Amino acid sequence: MTTLEPRIDDLPSTTPRLDLPTVAAAPPKVGRLVDQFERGLDAPICLTWELTYACNLACVHCLSSSGKRDPRELSTEQCKAIIDELQRMQVFYVNIGGGEPTVRPDFWELVDYAVDHQVGVKFSTNGLRISPEVAQRLAATDYVDVQISLDGATAEVNDAVRGPGSFDMAVRALQNLSDAGFADAKISVVVTRQNVTQLDEFKALADRFGATLRITRLRPSGRGADVWDELHPLPEQQKELYDWLVAHGDRVLTGDSFFHLSAFSSGGGSGLPGLNLCGAGRVVCLIDPVGDVYACPFAIHENFLAGNITETEGGFQEIWQRSDLFTELREPQSAGACNSCAHYDACRGGCMAAKFFTGLPLDGPDPECVQGYGEQLLAGERSKPTANKDHSRGTPLTLMTRPPSRDCDENPLAGFMPTTATGCSSSNCCS
């Protein structure tokens, strides 16, 4: 699963409106937008919404440990009520993910409902259900952006992370979108030690399908915590990545994912585009399939849980604007151990989720600090937290108390061909 982070140029090209939400509190009278965003907005610029944990794949770095559907998943009507609230709050758009969101039987109904209520949709998919017919439907729909996840420019590299057949499935989806005339699909890549040398190939692949390349950082969240040590780019690769972004950043989206690399610019190098800010609880957040609201899409853990929409009077707006956690995150943050570092103003100490899930202090350096301070801490004693949610298919869950309306409601693999995982052959499966 891949998710989005806030960056103005990440907004869908067909976003219905570009009026910024008003600043929540009286902002400091400064010229930098980032200083205003640190105090939080009345509504998130973008929020990630995981509609389901069900997934036909089992990617080794999945930040939400997806696989099986949670039987407490929000109903169609509950989801529509959230969309109504987002419309009232004038949220730019939602990034819908999972799991594989298209296996929800009501997925297209919810997409249509959001569009009809002036909420733009960008959804992330592994390409499972992007058939020629679906691609044509998407090409004829306004305010919808499609992001295809691909973690290798070749099947060998991609399938080692995402599973056998997943490369061909994603490329087929891209071809279907291109053939249907869908404008500007996104290819979403989580940068790893194995694929960082393929950035030019990814860009060529995007150009081939008339798509835009989008690269994001590997976080040690969910199942990603188990493979982060083996997959995250090496220090010398981080510098190569920075140089590549400086050279190609005007044609590649990052969602501000690599702001920890901005410290390279302190030595006289070029700065990276974007806010270069941890937006957790300030401009972004995540809603999970059961209505829990987390400060960050990459920090699905009780420490970053702000509340549950269905259990909070005032719903999402109350949580976003007045929850204790989000209020705290919008206060000036201590630089901690980074206080004396000359590069702090550039990188802001890095990613909160990356620090938390590697067992580093939140007011300390990023584990991939380009000055090497994170490596020093990683080599010492630390206690890594365990994920408090795991929906991997090997994890037992209490089954639904009512029979599922379709096989895929309970088992996203129901009816799939066992060797390809590229389509559903069951007449009782999600369509």
Side-chain angles (χ1 to χ4, degrees):
M1 176 224 163
T2 51
T3 56
L4 303 185
E5 295 162 277
R7 179 174 164 187
I8 297 301
D9 60 7
D10 266 358
L11 292 173
S13 57
T14 51
T15 300
R17 59 190 177 280
L18 294 176
D19 48 317
L20 279 171
T22 56
V23 177
K29 294 182 178 181
V30 294
R32 297 193 312 169
L33 192 62
V34 64
D35 292 313
Q36 298 187 37
F37 281 8
E38 278 191 316
R39 302 294 298 272
L41 304 177
D42 272 351
I45 292 178
C46 166
L47 66 87
T48 296
W49 187 357
E50 295 182 343
L51 282 181
T52 184
Y53 286 125
C55 191
N56 57 304
L57 299 181
C59 302
V60 299
H61 61 352
C62 179
L63 63 92
S64 59
S65 300
S66 290
K68 290 194 69 174
R69 178 186 185 277
D70 192 311
R72 302 168 299 160
E73 202 169 271
L74 296 173
S75 68
T76 303
E77 291 310 310
Q78 286 175 313
C79 289
K80 288 182 177 180
I82 292 175
I83 293 171
D84 291 338
E85 190 171 8
L86 300 182
Q87 180 187 25
R88 290 192 297 269
M89 294 177 69
Q90 298 188 19
V91 170
F92 275 142
Y93 71 101
V94 291
N95 169 54
I96 294 179
E100 171 51 45
T102 63
V103 303
R104 264 192 73 131
D106 59 358
F107 174 73
W108 301 111
E109 180 182 351
L110 292 175
V111 169
D112 289 343
Y113 189 84
V115 170
D116 289 344
H117 289 75
Q118 296 81 50
V119 177
V121 172
K122 176 180 288 195
F123 71 90
S124 303
T125 175
N126 55 43
L128 174 70
R129 299 204 183 280
I130 310 299
S131 63
E133 295 75 20
V134 167
Q136 290 173 4
R137 171 180 178 170
L138 288 168
T141 304
D142 291 331
Y143 309 142
V144 175
D145 209 356
V146 184
Q147 177 170 284
I148 306 295
S149 298
L150 199 62
D151 291 329
T154 59
E156 178 183 11
V157 174
N158 178 84
D159 291 6
V161 173
R162 304 189 64 82
S166 57
F167 179 83
D168 291 340
M169 181 169 64
V171 170
R172 181 162 49 251
L174 288 164
Q175 185 67 64
N176 289 340
L177 290 167
S178 178
D179 291 345
F182 184 88
D184 195 25
K186 307 297 184 291
I187 296 178
S188 178
V189 177
V190 177
V191 177
T192 66
R193 189 174 304 175
Q194 288 70 25
N195 69 21
V196 69
T197 59
Q198 296 185 316
L199 293 175
D200 288 332
E201 295 173 66
F202 281 121
K203 185 65 174 65
L205 190 65
D207 292 342
R208 170 184 161 191
F209 292 109
T212 295
L213 177 61
R214 187 179 190 284
I215 63 175
T216 58
R217 182 183 179 184
L218 173 70
R219 302 308 208 292
S221 309
R223 287 197 294 267
D226 299 327
V227 297
W228 187 80
D229 288 339
E230 292 76 32
L231 290 186
H232 79 94
L234 298 168
E236 59 269 24
Q237 292 177 321
Q238 298 276 6
K239 182 59 167 66
E240 293 170 5
L241 173 59
Y242 167 80
D243 291 338
W244 192 89
L245 285 171
V246 169
H248 301 87
D250 59 333
R251 301 186 301 277
V252 175
L253 302 177
T254 66
D256 238 6
S257 189
F258 300 101
F259 67 91
H260 70 294
L261 300 180
S262 295
F264 282 125
S265 66
S266 298
S270 300
L272 297 179
L275 295 176
N276 291 332
L277 164 76
C278 173
R282 298 179 174 114
V283 294
V284 295
C285 67
L286 174 137
I287 302 174
D288 84 347
V290 302
D292 284 340
V293 179
Y294 293 88
C296 171
F298 304 98
I300 304 175
H301 189 277
E302 58 190 9
N303 285 37
F304 303 102
L305 175 61
N308 182 281
I309 292 174
T310 65
E311 299 171 359
T312 302
E313 185 176 354
F316 175 74
Q317 183 169 357
E318 177 67 23
I319 294 172
W320 173 261
Q321 295 182 353
R322 284 175 280 277
S323 68
D324 292 341
L325 175 64
F326 287 178
T327 299
E328 180 181 352
L329 287 172
R330 292 163 190 162
E331 292 298 321
Q333 303 297 307
S334 168
C338 296
N339 187 55
S340 60
C341 180
H343 307 283
Y344 176 76
D345 196 50
C347 73
R348 315 293 289 184
C351 173
M352 177 181 73
K355 288 185 275 192
F356 178 77
F357 285 109
T358 52
L360 301 185
L362 296 184
D363 63 350
D366 188 288
E368 293 180 295
C369 168
V370 301
Q371 301 302 315
Y373 300 127
E375 294 177 66
Q376 297 173 20
L377 291 178
L378 290 174
E381 292 292 327
R382 54 199 168 96
S383 177
K384 294 193 293 185
T386 57
N388 62 322
K389 287 191 177 183
D390 190 341
H391 292 85
S392 301
R393 282 192 290 275
T395 303
L397 283 174
T398 304
L399 297 181
M400 299 170 65
T401 56
R402 57 179 173 79
S405 58
R406 293 176 173 84
D407 294 341
C408 281
D409 287 6
E410 195 63 52
N411 176 13
L413 295 180
F416 282 84
M417 299 301 290
T419 57
T420 64
T422 58
C424 183
S425 61
S426 171
S427 60
N428 191 38
C429 200
C430 315
S431 59

